[in-house]
Amino acid sequence: MKRATVHLEVSAHRCIAVLVVVVAALAMHGCASLSESECLAANWEVLGEADGQQGRSLSQLGRYQKDCAEYGVVPDAKAYAAGRERGLAYFCTESNGYQEGRNGAGDAAVCPPTLQADFRRGYTLGQGVHTAHYVLITTADGIRAARDEIQDLKSNMADNKSRISDGDLSQEDKRALRRQNDESERRIRQLEDDLVVLAGSVALAIAQYSSAVRAARAAGHDEPMESEIIYELQRLAR
């Protein structure tokens, strides 16, 4: 769960320092539920703001109500909602939307209509880079895995052939080793076909990733182009 950053305005009507520490501690350890002491000490407006900054849905208040019910504490829903609305103003920005999408976070759809467009604009760009980068990584991993498996299979086949030539084995054992080699040959052909497909997808994967990064940069996001994985993919595809 993401680490919260609790924004506090310097004004007399906000919470006292000890309550800020309580809420900050909750945010730091990522706990979305409250203990008895936390229910008793909670400043619902500050807690709502912290949850808003994390992009938590309003259903989180229902969890707090359930947590605190056994201690006889009823959360101040109005104060919580007011604080959450302020927190969402920090969460629902284009830059934060970009980071959410870039990190592969799901779109919680918590932003109010007035802020949704900016958040979604950034989220879509970040998600595009995240997805394209993931394709690069998985393509490279797939090529390496297929080549390693082919090498292992060929090595095992060579060992089996050597054992078959050994006069100490029974005919039944030799037939079993030949069957293993036949299965290995079929698997190698399948892997070689997979490599052809993977190698053929490299150029498209690189193009999509490069396009996603350029789009993010054009929108003002500081997204590096990871050239090393591109070069590695190009090498693997040869």
Side-chain angles (χ1 to χ4, degrees):
M1 191 173 293
K2 296 171 292 183
R3 180 174 296 179
T5 303
V6 181
H7 174 75
L8 299 175
E9 295 178 357
V10 183
S11 56
H13 72 278
R14 301 302 295 277
C15 60
I16 61 175
V18 65
L19 294 180
V20 174
V21 171
V22 170
V23 175
L26 284 172
M28 289 296 286
H29 65 62
C31 182
S33 61
L34 300 179
S35 67
E36 180 179 7
S37 61
E38 290 161 348
C39 286
L40 293 171
N43 181 304
W44 298 106
E45 187 174 355
V46 175
L47 186 54
E49 185 171 346
D51 285 348
Q53 288 192 19
Q54 294 179 81
R56 286 179 175 164
S57 70
L58 194 56
S59 63
Q60 182 61 44
L61 178 60
R63 298 187 184 94
Y64 294 148
Q65 290 170 335
K66 182 178 179 181
D67 291 337
C68 297
E70 62 179 299
Y71 311 123
V73 176
V74 178
D76 186 337
K78 185 176 180 180
Y80 179 88
R84 179 175 172 273
E85 185 175 351
R86 281 196 303 275
L88 287 176
Y90 289 88
F91 178 82
C92 298
T93 62
E94 180 174 348
S95 60
N96 191 63
Y98 181 81
Q99 290 303 318
E100 291 288 300
R102 182 64 180 87
N103 293 334
D107 183 1
V110 296
C111 296
T114 54
L115 302 175
Q116 179 70 7
D118 287 345
F119 180 85
R120 284 294 306 174
R121 187 182 305 112
Y123 182 86
T124 300
L125 288 168
Q127 186 182 49
V129 176
H130 172 80
T131 301
H133 183 264
Y134 176 79
V135 171
L136 288 184
I137 298 299
T138 54
T139 300
D141 288 345
I143 292 174
R144 293 190 196 97
R147 288 182 174 173
D148 288 346
E149 187 175 351
I150 288 173
Q151 183 176 353
D152 290 342
L153 288 169
K154 287 182 175 180
S155 177
N156 290 337
M157 289 174 66
D159 290 342
N160 286 347
K161 288 179 180 178
S162 177
R163 294 179 62 193
I164 290 171
S165 300
D166 189 341
D168 293 338
L169 289 180
S170 67
Q171 291 301 315
E172 182 178 352
D173 288 340
K174 290 180 179 180
R175 283 193 295 270
L177 291 176
R178 291 190 184 99
R179 284 194 297 270
Q180 288 181 14
N181 279 3
D182 290 341
E183 292 173 1
S184 294
E185 286 180 353
R186 286 192 292 270
R187 177 59 179 161
I188 287 172
R189 288 195 294 271
Q190 179 185 2
L191 289 167
E192 288 174 342
D193 289 341
D194 292 344
L195 280 172
V196 171
V197 174
L198 285 169
S201 69
V202 165
L204 178 60
I206 292 174
Q208 290 177 334
Y209 170 70
S210 300
S211 177
V213 171
R214 286 195 298 270
R217 288 177 171 180
H221 301 289
D222 186 18
E223 180 64 45
M225 183 76 73
E226 297 191 21
S227 301
E228 289 185 6
I229 183 62
I230 292 177
Y231 297 149
E232 175 67 5
L233 259 181
Q234 290 171 335
R235 183 188 67 79
L236 290 171
R238 296 191 187 105

